[in-house]
Structure formats: structure tokens, C-alpha cells
Amino acid sequence: MTTFTITMPRALDLIAALEFPAKLPAPVDCKILIFDFKSSSLIEPFAMLMISSEISRYMHEHQDVEFKCSNYMHMSYAGHMGFFKSFGLDFGKSPGEANGSSRYVPLTIYSTSDIEKSAASKGIEIGDEVETISQQLSYTLCHIKEGILFDTLSYSIREIMRNVVEHSAASRFGICAQYWPSKNKAEVAIFDRGIGIKKSLSQNPHIDASDDKRSLNYALMPAVSGKAFKGSRVKQKGHWANSGFGLYMTNRICRNGGTFFICSGDTGMLLTKKSNAKRYFSTNLHGTAVRMVLKTDQLSSLKEALDTYKNEGYEIQKRYKEIINIDPSSASLMLSTDFDLSIWGKILAALKLRN
Ligand SMILES: Nc1ncnc2c1ncn2[C@@H]1O[C@H](COP(=O)(O)OP(=O)(O)OP(=O)(O)O)[C@@H](O)[C@H]1O
Ligand SMILES: [Mg+2]
């Protein structure tokens, strides 16, 4: 009988979360699998969601393997956040159980059909229901119901959560978040095991969503959507009609000092504001995961930020037309850089449309 031990790293952060699936052993020889937390002292919301979901998935797929955790008793924060109970270890609280009175949202699983049913029973649109949930979560994190931080968190959570409900086809999704006032930092993670960005975007015939990397880049462009496009048979109306701006706006808001990470399929993409703004990671996720890190002392008024980004987004969208309806060859040039008007000249020069 083979016992396999995975020593969990000291910091369970973004990188550790992305590296974790590859550490899981091939099941053939493994009869007992032990997760050893003796070196771990830090755990972040995204890592909690991703690692617990991976452990649950692996346990479900390999029911003949016995699972154990060792040296975890000092991980009281993770326990309180519902990390251990989410994959069946009786330590700490269950997912969603902690009351979240201390500026965190514990690991919480939402059912998309419950959100839809709740909206229907109130006679409101699903987008309104998602907005209400996002505002509650934002309030849990920042303890006030107005102001730049409340507005920005509500907006960002709402856009990512709407995407799960509107595009992922997942029946459930997870969320976990923490605000650290002394560090002027907040992290929000949202994770689904739905169809992923590539499959969802491939409904749009104007773009080449043939691989995960391209698809992620397209999804972040202003006015690019898997539902709203020229010639789409589904005509959307009303306040929550898709326009392809959610990920574009949210990533720009986060990058005001913070970072935006999204992964789907075999690609993860970390965006910051610096010149080396884009970093790719190899992943293996059936679904979509987003991690937003906000520098809370560097946020500007949400309304002003949204107005600026929206205007720039429309301007960029208009200019797509200068280079033929985002055809794959010109798009690939744009995909290699960021959607900022200041780089437009460079794109045209590269396409030899301007010196
Ligand atoms: N969780 C997800 N699962 C599957 N596909 C997704 C997910 N999130 C985003 N997408 C894909 O990325 C596209 C772009 O998302 P984005 O939020 O920018 O625009 P939108 O949702 O179409 O429109 P808007 O946000 O303006 O209502 C979506 O249309 C969808 O195809
Ligand atoms: Mg959206």
C-alpha cells in the first residue's frame, strides 16, 4: 500500500494554488494521500478556493484513495474560513458558516439556480439579484454602505458574478474574500467549473477563440462578448444586456495599483499596471477563476473611473474598425499588448497603417 505525502508550501498564495494540481499524484499507486500543513503559515482567498476545489475534485474522482491531513491545527484562520470542511475534514467551520463580521467573506458556495429562483420570486431581474448579493458582500468586507471602496467592491464582484451566472453554465460557484485595512488591500476570488471562456466566446463568429490564451485576451477587450455581437440571434434588451465591457472595466479598476488575474482552460493571465503588465501561467482548469486584488488607498471615484474607462473603451472599439472588424491577424497584435489608447499608434505602425 503506497502512502503519498504532499507537503503544502509555506505561503498558500496565487502561485501555490496554480502549482497545486500538478502535485496531486497519479492515482495508480497511491492508496493513502496525506496533505501535510506543517510548513504552511499563510493562506489567501484565491488559494483557499482553488486548492479546496481541487482536493474535492480529486477525492471525488479517486474514491478508493484514503485522504488525510496532518499538522493543520495551527491553521485556525483557514479553518474558520471553511477551507478544511469544504473537502470533508472536520476542522473549523463549514463553507459559508462563519459570519464574516471581521472583513472577510468565508469560502461560500452559491447555487446559480437559487439565485435565479430568488430573483423570480421577487419579480426582479437576475442582474438585480446579483447586484444585491454583491452589495452585501462588499458591506461585509468594508463595513460601510457607501463610498469609493464600497462602490468599487460591489461593482467588481457584481461583474464577475454576473459573468458566472450569465455565461458559465455552472450550477454552483465559489467565492472567498478578505479586506486587510492595515495593508490597504482587498482580495476577492470567484471560481466556477463551468464551460470556460473559450467555449463561451466561440459563439461569437467575429473572433478567433480557438485557444484559451487568445480567448482570455479577447474577453478582456472592450466590447467583445460571447453573447452580444453583430448578427447575434439573441437580441438582448434592458439594463443588464451584455455589451462586452464587464471584464475590460473590472480589470482596469483593479489595476489602479492592484492586480487582476483570470484563468480558464490551460492559461492563466496576471495583469498589473506596470510596463510588463501581462504574465502568463500554465493552468488546467475546466471552468473560470478570477482573483481581484485592490489597493484600497489608490482607488479613484468609481463613477469617474468608469466614465474614463468606458470612453476609452468605446474609442478603442471604434478604432477596431480602422483595422477591419477585429480580424485574427490584427487582433493578434493587439492581444500581445494592452488596451490603452496610448499604444494605438504602435499597433497601426505594426500593421503598416501608419508610420
Ligand atoms: N465565468 C465565465 N464563464 C464562461 N465565459 C465567461 C465567463 N466570464 C466571461 N466569459 C466570457 O467572456 C466574455 C466577455 O465577458 P465580459 O464580462 O467582458 O462581457 P459580457 O458579460 O458579454 O457583457 P457585459 O459584462 O457588458 O454584460 C463573455 O461574453 C463570455 O463569453
Ligand atoms: Mg460580463
Side-chain angles (χ1 to χ4, degrees):
M1 183 173 285
T2 318
T3 300
F4 199 97
T5 301
I6 296 182
T7 304
M8 303 301 276
R10 187 192 68 78
L12 293 163
D13 53 13
L14 175 71
I15 305 291
L18 298 178
E19 287 174 349
F20 181 73
K23 291 189 175 164
L24 292 165
V28 222
D29 303 323
C30 177
K31 290 287 165 275
I32 301 178
L33 179 56
I34 302 173
F35 300 102
D36 186 350
F37 289 88
K38 70 169 175 294
S39 316
S40 305
S41 55
L42 180 149
I43 186 160
E44 294 176 354
F46 182 86
M48 260 186 275
L49 266 185
M50 184 139 189
I51 293 174
S52 63
S53 175
E54 275 301 299
I55 294 178
S56 300
R57 181 191 60 77
Y58 192 88
M59 285 169 84
H60 182 72
E61 286 173 11
H62 308 297
Q63 303 206 356
D64 51 334
V65 177
E66 189 186 338
F67 293 88
K68 294 182 179 173
C69 287
S70 59
N71 302 309
Y72 55 82
M73 296 303 278
H74 64 288
M75 304 277 292
S76 53
Y77 169 69
H80 194 71
M81 294 289 270
F83 173 71
F84 293 103
K85 280 208 171 164
S86 74
F87 56 85
L89 182 82
D90 191 13
F91 177 62
K93 297 208 181 286
S94 297
E97 189 187 336
N99 62 15
S101 61
S102 298
R103 300 180 186 273
Y104 57 79
V105 172
L107 200 157
T108 307
I109 308 296
Y110 285 90
S111 144
T112 38
S113 63
D114 285 353
I115 293 177
E116 284 158 9
K117 278 186 218 146
S118 173
S121 72
K122 294 178 195 161
I124 58 174
E125 290 191 51
I126 295 166
D128 292 317
E129 179 68 12
V130 172
E131 178 157 76
T132 305
I133 299 171
S134 309
Q135 286 177 350
Q136 284 161 356
L137 295 175
S138 173
Y139 177 69
T140 301
L141 290 171
C142 64
H143 294 190
I144 38 167
K145 283 199 168 133
E146 57 184 15
I148 293 176
L149 180 57
F150 173 78
D151 290 347
T152 306
L153 282 168
S154 307
Y155 177 89
S156 311
I157 295 171
R158 183 191 80 194
E159 287 307 305
I160 304 305
M161 214 185 244
R162 272 182 65 212
N163 277 353
V164 178
V165 177
E166 292 168 5
H167 306 298
S168 75
S171 56
R172 292 157 14 114
F173 62 95
I175 177 157
C176 189
Q178 176 79 55
Y179 171 37
W180 298 271
S182 59
K183 296 184 192 164
N184 296 312
K185 185 175 141 178
E187 173 173 330
V188 179
I190 300 183
F191 185 102
D192 74 69
R193 288 195 179 271
I195 61 171
I197 303 267
K198 183 174 81 160
K199 181 150 188 210
S200 150
L201 261 192
S202 64
Q203 295 167 80
N204 181 333
H206 305 288
I207 55 175
D208 171 17
S210 56
D211 63 44
D212 291 311
K213 189 172 174 185
R214 278 179 166 274
S215 303
L216 282 183
N217 278 283
Y218 273 122
L220 283 142
M221 285 167 72
V224 172
S225 169
K227 287 221 174 114
F229 49 85
K230 201 167 161 217
S232 165
R233 272 183 292 139
V234 188
K235 291 284 168 250
Q236 302 185 54
K237 288 196 298 258
H239 187 56
W240 301 109
N242 295 126
S243 61
F245 268 73
L247 289 176
Y248 167 73
M249 300 286 259
T250 313
N251 100 79
R252 291 209 59 182
I253 288 172
C254 293
R255 289 158 61 208
N256 250 333
T259 60
F260 185 86
F261 174 80
I262 181 162
C263 74
S264 188
D266 66 16
T267 306
M269 190 161 88
L270 178 67
L271 299 160
T272 58
K273 202 179 183 179
K274 302 189 196 96
S275 53
N276 57 342
K278 225 180 243 188
R279 194 171 151 200
Y280 291 104
F281 298 85
S282 290
T283 59
N284 180 9
L285 173 64
H286 191 95
T288 305
V290 170
R291 168 185 177 263
M292 300 181 276
V293 176
L294 296 167
K295 270 309 268 166
T296 55
D297 54 342
Q298 291 179 39
L299 300 172
S300 44
S301 133
L302 181 69
K303 190 181 170 315
E304 279 168 31
L306 291 180
D307 282 350
T308 309
Y309 302 150
K310 200 184 290 167
N311 290 337
E312 288 191 19
Y314 282 137
E315 197 55 35
I316 292 167
Q317 184 202 6
K318 262 194 259 150
R319 293 181 188 202
Y320 293 157
K321 298 192 178 100
E322 281 182 49
I323 55 170
I324 354 149
N325 281 331
I326 341 182
D327 75 302
S329 62
S330 35
S332 67
L333 277 171
M334 292 193 282
L335 300 183
S336 63
T337 178
D338 193 21
F339 303 104
D340 180 328
L341 278 179
S342 64
I343 51 88
W344 196 256
K346 277 194 218 157
I347 291 174
L348 294 185
L351 285 167
K352 304 205 184 328
L353 293 174
R354 189 186 287 171
N355 290 325

